[in-house]
Amino acid sequence: MSQNDVEFIGMIQTHKVSETHAAQGPAIDRDYVRAFAQAHEQAGFDRILVPHHSTSPDATLTVAYAASVTERIHFMLAHRPGFVSPTLAARQFASLDQFSGGRLAVHYISGGSDDEQKRDGDWLDHDQRYARTDEYLDVLRKVWTADKPFDHQGAHYRFQNAFSDVKPVQTLNGKPHVPVYFGGASEAAIPVAGKHADVYALWGESLEQARELTSRVRAEAAKHGRQVRFSVSFRPILAETEEKAWARAEAILAETKRLRVVQGFGRGGPQQSEGAKRLLAAVDKGPRVDKRLWTAIAQEIGGRSNSTALVGTPEQVADALLDYYDLGVTTFLIRGFDPLEDATDYGRELIPRTRELVAQRIASQRKAA
């Protein structure tokens, strides 16, 4: 895609679960995954994120299955560097890109919680994890592009005669690597983002926060002669009128609170993640920020995950997304509190209306030029 095109990313999980839906049944429901992936394809999404958690089913295999039951939609695999060798990960991702027909991107997550990382045996601290990710991405890129075996000796990895017979479809088609999506807003993360990210991902911050953070990443990327695209994540809450949309939002908050009590959770506290802290900074501005940004769920769960919403009619939410587009955001990761049903709903009006607004904006900019 070009620097100005707009991209929509959804998210699928291996069974139905959200802040308002308690997980039930086995961890993997193949029928649900198939229906979920196909719903995104039919709704006009460009790509689907498959998330990673230290207790969840393997995201790589989930992508492989979802790719096998879809035809056009692309995928974004959430991946934590450090648990497999980058030489092995490079071959896995290249193989998955081949089997999916060049539909893979990878979102690299260095980890915002020491406790989460330790579940899989990782004892590096926050800043050390980002230093490892930097080296990890250097190795991946070299494995994908090297035409002969190479040696590597760094702070975290050492290899002799590393090589891969399989290259990503996208590398063979002239791109340097499988697209790199990257998140992390800390001082340790921003230099890594500037060096490696094709797309830098923010959670659903205020316009002021997004302007500040994207400016920092752009400046860092410029040191490497690079340009970076930007992604922002929201949980759109739609209805046919604004009043009904806010009523739905309040019902979602009430059910979230009820379920957290049933599950024995208190109000969530902040994580080490700088992204979580930034969401809670948005919370400090009140439950409603800018035109339609709603922060109440983020406050309730302590800023864990992308938990801020845009609330309104499809027209109103599309208009709010355009404000972020005007800041340079060209990717929107949107997922609902009723995960499968909302994905279908977004495809009816929100996605096409936003694409139309962006096309109009591009046309007016070209005419002005």
Short mmCIF file of all heavy atoms in Angstrom, two decimals, residues 12-16 26-30 32-33 36 50 56-58 62:
data_model
loop_
_atom_site.label_atom_id
_atom_site.label_comp_id
_atom_site.label_asym_id
_atom_site.label_seq_id
_atom_site.Cartn_x
_atom_site.Cartn_y
_atom_site.Cartn_z
N ILE A 12 -8.73 -11.64 15.55
CA ILE A 12 -9.46 -12.87 15.84
C ILE A 12 -8.79 -13.58 17.01
O ILE A 12 -7.59 -13.47 17.23
CB ILE A 12 -9.54 -13.82 14.63
CG1 ILE A 12 -8.15 -14.29 14.20
CG2 ILE A 12 -10.27 -13.15 13.47
CD1 ILE A 12 -8.19 -15.39 13.14
N GLN A 13 -9.60 -14.29 17.77
CA GLN A 13 -9.11 -15.13 18.85
C GLN A 13 -9.64 -16.55 18.65
O GLN A 13 -10.50 -16.78 17.80
CB GLN A 13 -9.54 -14.55 20.20
CG GLN A 13 -8.87 -13.22 20.51
CD GLN A 13 -9.51 -12.51 21.68
OE1 GLN A 13 -10.59 -11.94 21.56
NE2 GLN A 13 -8.84 -12.52 22.82
N THR A 14 -9.12 -17.48 19.42
CA THR A 14 -9.43 -18.89 19.17
C THR A 14 -10.74 -19.35 19.80
O THR A 14 -11.17 -20.47 19.60
CB THR A 14 -8.28 -19.79 19.66
OG1 THR A 14 -8.03 -19.51 21.04
CG2 THR A 14 -7.02 -19.54 18.84
N HIS A 15 -11.37 -18.47 20.59
CA HIS A 15 -12.72 -18.72 21.07
C HIS A 15 -13.33 -17.38 21.45
O HIS A 15 -12.64 -16.36 21.47
CB HIS A 15 -12.76 -19.70 22.25
CG HIS A 15 -11.99 -19.26 23.44
ND1 HIS A 15 -11.97 -19.94 24.63
CD2 HIS A 15 -11.15 -18.19 23.65
CE1 HIS A 15 -11.19 -19.33 25.49
NE2 HIS A 15 -10.69 -18.28 24.93
N LYS A 16 -14.62 -17.35 21.72
CA LYS A 16 -15.29 -16.08 22.00
C LYS A 16 -14.96 -15.61 23.40
O LYS A 16 -15.25 -16.29 24.39
CB LYS A 16 -16.80 -16.23 21.84
CG LYS A 16 -17.56 -14.91 22.00
CD LYS A 16 -19.02 -15.06 21.65
CE LYS A 16 -19.76 -13.74 21.72
NZ LYS A 16 -21.17 -13.85 21.29
N PRO A 26 -13.52 -25.05 25.41
CA PRO A 26 -12.09 -25.28 25.17
C PRO A 26 -11.40 -24.03 24.67
O PRO A 26 -12.03 -23.10 24.16
CB PRO A 26 -12.08 -26.39 24.12
CG PRO A 26 -13.39 -26.26 23.41
CD PRO A 26 -14.38 -25.80 24.46
N ALA A 27 -10.08 -24.01 24.78
CA ALA A 27 -9.30 -22.84 24.36
C ALA A 27 -9.32 -22.64 22.85
O ALA A 27 -9.10 -21.52 22.38
CB ALA A 27 -7.86 -22.99 24.84
N ILE A 28 -9.56 -23.69 22.09
CA ILE A 28 -9.61 -23.59 20.64
C ILE A 28 -10.96 -24.10 20.15
O ILE A 28 -11.34 -25.25 20.42
CB ILE A 28 -8.48 -24.38 19.96
CG1 ILE A 28 -7.12 -23.76 20.31
CG2 ILE A 28 -8.67 -24.42 18.44
CD1 ILE A 28 -5.93 -24.50 19.73
N ASP A 29 -11.68 -23.24 19.44
CA ASP A 29 -12.94 -23.58 18.79
C ASP A 29 -12.73 -23.36 17.29
O ASP A 29 -12.79 -22.24 16.79
CB ASP A 29 -14.06 -22.68 19.33
CG ASP A 29 -15.42 -22.99 18.72
OD1 ASP A 29 -15.47 -23.60 17.63
OD2 ASP A 29 -16.43 -22.58 19.32
N ARG A 30 -12.45 -24.44 16.56
CA ARG A 30 -12.12 -24.31 15.15
C ARG A 30 -13.23 -23.67 14.34
O ARG A 30 -12.98 -22.87 13.45
CB ARG A 30 -11.79 -25.68 14.54
CG ARG A 30 -10.44 -26.23 14.96
CD ARG A 30 -10.01 -27.37 14.05
NE ARG A 30 -11.07 -28.37 13.92
CZ ARG A 30 -11.12 -29.28 12.96
NH1 ARG A 30 -10.19 -29.31 12.03
NH2 ARG A 30 -12.09 -30.18 12.93
N TYR A 32 -15.43 -21.51 15.34
CA TYR A 32 -15.47 -20.08 15.64
C TYR A 32 -14.33 -19.35 14.92
O TYR A 32 -14.53 -18.27 14.35
CB TYR A 32 -15.38 -19.86 17.14
CG TYR A 32 -15.51 -18.42 17.57
CD1 TYR A 32 -16.74 -17.76 17.54
CD2 TYR A 32 -14.39 -17.69 18.00
CE1 TYR A 32 -16.86 -16.44 17.94
CE2 TYR A 32 -14.50 -16.37 18.40
CZ TYR A 32 -15.74 -15.75 18.36
OH TYR A 32 -15.85 -14.43 18.75
N VAL A 33 -13.13 -19.92 14.94
CA VAL A 33 -12.00 -19.30 14.26
C VAL A 33 -12.29 -19.16 12.77
O VAL A 33 -12.03 -18.10 12.17
CB VAL A 33 -10.70 -20.09 14.49
CG1 VAL A 33 -9.55 -19.54 13.65
CG2 VAL A 33 -10.32 -20.09 15.97
N PHE A 36 -14.94 -16.50 12.27
CA PHE A 36 -14.38 -15.21 12.65
C PHE A 36 -13.49 -14.66 11.53
O PHE A 36 -13.59 -13.49 11.13
CB PHE A 36 -13.57 -15.39 13.94
CG PHE A 36 -13.51 -14.20 14.85
CD1 PHE A 36 -12.80 -14.29 16.04
CD2 PHE A 36 -14.12 -13.00 14.54
CE1 PHE A 36 -12.72 -13.20 16.91
CE2 PHE A 36 -14.05 -11.91 15.39
CZ PHE A 36 -13.34 -12.01 16.57
N VAL A 50 -3.62 -11.79 14.97
CA VAL A 50 -3.77 -12.91 15.90
C VAL A 50 -2.86 -12.62 17.08
O VAL A 50 -1.64 -12.58 16.94
CB VAL A 50 -3.41 -14.26 15.25
CG1 VAL A 50 -3.49 -15.38 16.28
CG2 VAL A 50 -4.34 -14.54 14.08
N SER A 56 -1.92 -18.52 25.98
CA SER A 56 -2.87 -18.74 24.88
C SER A 56 -2.37 -19.78 23.88
O SER A 56 -1.19 -20.13 23.86
CB SER A 56 -3.11 -17.42 24.15
OG SER A 56 -1.90 -16.97 23.54
N PRO A 57 -3.28 -20.30 23.03
CA PRO A 57 -2.84 -21.19 21.95
C PRO A 57 -1.82 -20.50 21.06
O PRO A 57 -1.76 -19.27 20.98
CB PRO A 57 -4.15 -21.47 21.19
CG PRO A 57 -5.23 -21.28 22.19
CD PRO A 57 -4.75 -20.16 23.08
N ASP A 58 -1.03 -21.29 20.37
CA ASP A 58 0.06 -20.78 19.55
C ASP A 58 -0.48 -19.92 18.40
O ASP A 58 -1.25 -20.40 17.57
CB ASP A 58 0.89 -21.92 19.00
CG ASP A 58 2.09 -21.44 18.23
OD1 ASP A 58 3.13 -21.17 18.85
OD2 ASP A 58 1.98 -21.31 17.00
N THR A 62 -2.42 -20.66 14.68
CA THR A 62 -3.73 -20.07 14.45
C THR A 62 -3.76 -19.32 13.13
O THR A 62 -4.73 -19.41 12.36
CB THR A 62 -4.11 -19.12 15.61
OG1 THR A 62 -4.06 -19.84 16.84
CG2 THR A 62 -5.50 -18.54 15.41
#
